[in-house]
């Protein structure tokens, strides 16, 4: 029995989206047509590929194996088509980039508007994810991450500021009521606002001054999910809920307005800026090549 490419694409879309409705929205196909495609595919391979419940759709063990093997193949096919589409006067097609929320907020706003204006035939799709992902398996062309989280077989291009700082801050009301920490270890006796990653881990707060490095793991009454809950943590800090530790650039508007005051500023650690990364062992699709060139060109101007 012949297996249609469209049925394979439907399976990948539903498995990635975790449901038929979301997959229908992403693919512009009806949920019923996607369901029919999955049934045909399951009949062709002779195995159930998806476990369906009223709340979610998840791949079976066989389905996960098929998804892992299909994703790179379909991504490469789409890259080849995008390369062909982009061989004309203007690159065209879809560009999917996986980024952390911090990059979506602090890096991309300075790049995306100009890129979209320069390349009107490219559709740019941004997916936010705090964990390091296999961009090909996730259906993306590239990702943005920080240097220590890049895989060795990836090509990395600097994007955004080349140096950043983590900053600690609190509202004037909190500091007036609770005092100002003089050393990072003083944070252990303060109310701190923390972020938890999807893995369940909470990153320690790192500080550095004159070569002395100090890491603290303060207790927290209020914890948010890293990424999605970050802005809420800032809002709570502004309202006097405790000390927050975050990218300086994210806190800068509140520091400038006085809604937040610096805490332990002489201890704020510096770290290298983010990178745009993509697999080095595949055809670079035209939309991604256009984005890479745009990033490099704009960096040369700053």
């Amino acid at each position: 029995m012949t297996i249609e490419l469209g049925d394979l694409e439907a399976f990948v879309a539903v498995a990635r989206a975790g449901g038929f409705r979301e997959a229908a929205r992403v693919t512009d196909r009806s949920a019923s047509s996607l369901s029919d495609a999955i049934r045909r595919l399951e009949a062709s391979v002779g195995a159930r590929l998806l476990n369906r419940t009223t709340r979610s759709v998840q791949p079976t063990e066989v389905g996960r194996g098929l998804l892992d093997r299909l994703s790179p193949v379909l991504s490469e096919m789409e890259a080849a088509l995008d390369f062909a589409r982009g061989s004309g006067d203007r690159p065209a097609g879809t560009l999917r980039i996986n980024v952390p929320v911090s990059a979506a907020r602090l890096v991309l706003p300075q790049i995306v508007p100009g890129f979209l204006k320069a390349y009107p035939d490219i559709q740019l799709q941004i997916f936010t994810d705090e964990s390091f992902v296999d961009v090909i398996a996730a259906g993306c062309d590239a990702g943005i991450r920080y240097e220590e989280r890049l895989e060795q077989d990836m090509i990395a291009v600097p994007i955004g500021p080349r140096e950043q700082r983590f900053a600690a801050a609190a509202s004037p009301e909190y500091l007036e009521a609770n005092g100002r920490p003089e050393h990072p270890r003083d944070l252990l006796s303060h109310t701190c606002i923390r972020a938890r990653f999807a893995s369940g881990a909470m990153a320690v707060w790192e500080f550095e001054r004159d070569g002395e490095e100090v890491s603290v793991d303060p207790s927290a009454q209020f914890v948010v999910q890293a990424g999605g809950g970050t802005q809420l943590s800032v809002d709570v800090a502004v309202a006097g809920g405790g000390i927050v530790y975050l990218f300086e650039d994210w806190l800068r508007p509140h520091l400038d307005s006085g809604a937040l005051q610096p805490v332990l500023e002489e201890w704020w650690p510096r770290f290298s800026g983010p990178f745009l990364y993509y697999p080095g062992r595949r055809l670079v699709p035209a939309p991604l090549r256009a984005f890479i060139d745009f990033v490099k060109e704009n960096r040369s101007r700053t």
Side-chain angles (χ1 to χ4, degrees), residues 20-31:
F20 287 92
R21 289 185 180 179
E22 178 63 17
R25 184 186 67 79
V26 172
T27 60
D28 290 328
R29 296 173 61 174
S30 68

Side-chain angles (χ1 to χ4, degrees), residues 12-13 15-17 26 67-68 70-72 75 96-99 125 127-129 131-143 145 277:
V12 172
R16 287 176 179 166
V26 172
L67 179 64
D68 290 342
L70 275 179
S71 294
S75 294
R96 302 176 181 87
I97 304 179
N98 184 287
V99 308
Q125 299 181 6
F127 301 86
T128 56
D129 194 326
S131 59
F132 187 83
V133 299
D134 181 333
V135 292
I136 300 303
C140 294
D141 302 291
R145 289 298 185 275
Y277 72 96

Side-chain angles (χ1 to χ4, degrees), residues 194-254:
R194 302 290 301 275
R196 188 187 304 277
F197 294 105
S199 64
M202 288 196 292
V204 297
W205 290 8
E206 298 179 341
F207 297 89
E208 188 274 332
R209 185 179 67 177
D210 299 331
E212 179 185 359
E213 298 180 358
V214 179
S215 298
V216 295
D217 190 11
S219 60
Q221 182 185 11
F222 183 60
V223 180
V224 301
Q225 180 179 346
T230 301
Q231 185 54 45
L232 177 59
S233 71
V234 177
D235 295 339
V236 171
V238 169
I243 299 175
V244 66
Y245 179 85
L246 191 58
F247 292 91
E248 178 187 3
D249 292 341
W250 198 313
L251 297 178
R252 179 48 57 189
H254 302 288

Side-chain angles (χ1 to χ4, degrees), residues 54-73:
T54 56
R55 294 187 177 182
S56 67
V57 175
Q58 297 294 329
T60 63
E61 184 176 355
V62 173
R64 284 193 297 271
L66 180 61
L67 179 64
D68 290 342
R69 290 163 175 79
L70 275 179
S71 294
V73 175

Side-chain angles (χ1 to χ4, degrees), residues 54-270:
T54 56
R55 294 187 177 182
S56 67
V57 175
Q58 297 294 329
T60 63
E61 184 176 355
V62 173
R64 284 193 297 271
L66 180 61
L67 179 64
D68 290 342
R69 290 163 175 79
L70 275 179
S71 294
V73 175
L74 293 179
S75 294
E76 189 67 20
M77 288 178 59
E78 188 166 352
L81 291 173
D82 282 341
F83 180 83
R85 296 187 191 105
S87 61
D89 294 335
R90 295 193 305 185
T94 301
L95 173 59
R96 302 176 181 87
I97 304 179
N98 184 287
V99 308
V101 171
S102 58
R105 184 181 181 92
L106 304 177
V107 176
L108 292 182
Q110 287 73 47
I111 298 173
V112 167
F115 176 76
L116 296 177
K117 184 177 181 180
Y119 297 97
D121 296 326
I122 294 177
Q123 182 189 68
L124 177 61
Q125 299 181 6
I126 300 296
F127 301 86
T128 56
D129 194 326
E130 291 306 300
S131 59
F132 187 83
V133 299
D134 181 333
V135 292
I136 300 303
C140 294
D141 302 291
I144 295 178
R145 289 298 185 275
Y146 288 85
E147 188 171 10
E148 66 272 15
R149 305 187 70 185
L150 296 181
E151 294 183 356
Q152 292 183 353
D153 62 345
M154 294 288 176
I155 296 176
V157 177
I159 185 171
R162 296 327 305 144
E163 185 177 78
Q164 294 178 272
R165 290 197 300 178
F166 278 118
S171 70
E173 294 78 13
Y174 174 86
L175 294 174
E176 182 178 355
N178 298 276
R180 182 180 293 274
E182 300 295 334
H183 189 277
R185 294 190 186 90
D186 295 342
L187 293 169
L188 298 175
S189 60
H190 276 265
T191 300
C192 295
I193 301 170
R194 302 290 301 275
R196 188 187 304 277
F197 294 105
S199 64
M202 288 196 292
V204 297
W205 290 8
E206 298 179 341
F207 297 89
E208 188 274 332
R209 185 179 67 177
D210 299 331
E212 179 185 359
E213 298 180 358
V214 179
S215 298
V216 295
D217 190 11
S219 60
Q221 182 185 11
F222 183 60
V223 180
V224 301
Q225 180 179 346
T230 301
Q231 185 54 45
L232 177 59
S233 71
V234 177
D235 295 339
V236 171
V238 169
I243 299 175
V244 66
Y245 179 85
L246 191 58
F247 292 91
E248 178 187 3
D249 292 341
W250 198 313
L251 297 178
R252 179 48 57 189
H254 302 288
L255 293 168
D256 290 344
S257 70
L260 292 175
Q261 292 186 357
V263 171
L264 299 168
E265 184 171 8
E266 68 276 15
W267 287 89
W268 291 357
R270 299 179 182 274

